[in-house]
Amino acid sequence: NAGVTQTPKFQVLKTGQSMTLQCAQDMNHEYMSWYRQDPGMGLRLIHYSVGAGITDQGEVPNGYNVSRSTTEDFPLRLLSAAPSQTSVYFCASSYRAGRNTIYFGEGSWLTVV
Amino acid sequence: GQQLNQSPQSMFIQEGEDVSMNCTSSSIFNTWLWYKQEPGEGPVLLIALYKAGELTSNGRLTAQFGITRKDSFLNISASIPSDVGIYFCAGHYYGGSQGNLIFGKGTKLSVKP
């Protein structure tokens, strides 16, 4: 069972570069989201989607774009990477938003130099 | 934005001891969730709570949804070395988007054999 799959696992970027973190789930989940995790800060919500074609901002959306053209995929784009975006990124999904178990991917470690 | 205050930040205990951690908020929550994260992995759901006063167990873990709906606690009985990790509370607050699951900053648990 694949569950929630994130790629790449590790990435080093130069300031100003753009890149896309990929997230795919094979559980037919409607809800998908992206979090970033920084030391001492817990997990903070970047963007989320409650279904294909619908996205919304979370707590820390600046510098990131998302789209949800299919149920399965929810890519996170860094438009112009900054050192402040050095973090661990987690994609998560659940059957529906709200009272359903949320499954997390294994994380993507991003360093911006 | 809404905040969850999780305490303690870290705990160093002896194997066999009981552990207690809690989360509080100034806002009312509709759901409380407790996750565990091990190094290099994404968070894994331990217990989900959906009603005020609800008390739920999962093996040696017990969690309760506070009567005021503004707090929750997690207890671990007879700790063992594999309990080591970071424990996060999370929840959906009343009046917020169901897509907006927010997290506490975590309790780092260390268990000495």
Side-chain angles (χ1 to χ4, degrees):
Chain A
N1 293 334
V4 180
T5 304
Q6 289 181 234
T7 56
K9 183 86 170 178
F10 300 98
Q11 182 73 50
V12 179
L13 284 179
K14 292 182 179 178
T15 298
Q17 284 185 320
S18 62
M19 78 155 299
T20 299
L21 296 176
Q22 302 291 343
C23 178
Q25 51 87 12
D26 62 356
M27 298 174 281
N28 202 31
H29 284 174
E30 291 187 356
Y31 173 81
M32 297 185 74
S33 57
W34 277 101
Y35 288 84
R36 61 176 288 173
Q37 184 175 29
D38 303 294
M41 298 295 291
L43 290 106
R44 293 182 293 169
L45 183 64
I46 305 171
H47 286 285
Y48 64 94
S49 167
V50 298
I54 305 168
T55 63
D56 208 343
Q57 295 182 348
E59 181 185 357
V60 288
N62 292 340
Y64 307 95
N65 269 359
V66 292
S67 59
R68 185 90 181 273
S69 55
T70 67
T71 300
E72 294 78 19
D73 300 298
F74 191 45
L76 178 73
R77 297 182 187 85
L78 281 71
L79 308 172
S80 178
S84 61
Q85 293 179 303
T86 294
S87 188
V88 184
Y89 292 85
F90 288 98
C91 180
S93 75
S94 69
Y95 180 63
R96 284 210 177 100
R99 295 162 66 97
N100 295 111
T101 299
I102 290 183
Y103 297 89
F104 283 84
E106 293 186 338
S108 296
W109 273 254
L110 177 67
T111 301
V112 183
V113 298
Chain B
Q2 302 299 324
Q3 286 190 337
L4 288 179
N5 302 308
Q6 186 171 350
S7 64
Q9 281 188 321
S10 60
M11 303 182 75
F12 297 86
I13 62 169
Q14 197 77 30
E15 181 177 1
E17 290 183 356
D18 296 342
V19 172
S20 184
M21 59 191 79
N22 68 81
C23 266
T24 62
S25 175
S26 57
S27 301
I28 292 174
F29 275 67
N30 292 326
T31 59
W32 284 99
L33 308 169
W34 286 93
Y35 286 84
K36 179 187 178 186
Q37 185 180 27
E38 298 187 11
E41 298 182 6
V44 175
L45 182 66
L46 299 173
I47 293 178
L49 303 162
Y50 299 115
K51 294 192 304 185
E54 182 179 354
L55 183 71
T56 298
S57 293
N58 178 5
R60 294 178 295 104
L61 278 62
T62 302
Q64 185 160 29
F65 193 139
I67 292 290
T68 65
R69 298 172 65 187
K70 294 182 179 181
D71 62 348
S72 175
F73 72 75
L74 174 71
N75 288 340
I76 305 173
S77 62
S79 59
I80 59 178
S82 62
D83 289 334
V84 165
I86 302 177
Y87 292 79
F88 291 99
C89 62
H92 295 97
Y93 60 90
Y94 181 77
S97 163
Q98 284 199 322
N100 199 344
L101 179 68
I102 63 171
F103 281 77
K105 295 183 179 180
T107 296
K108 186 175 182 180
L109 179 63
S110 301
V111 180
K112 186 177 179 181

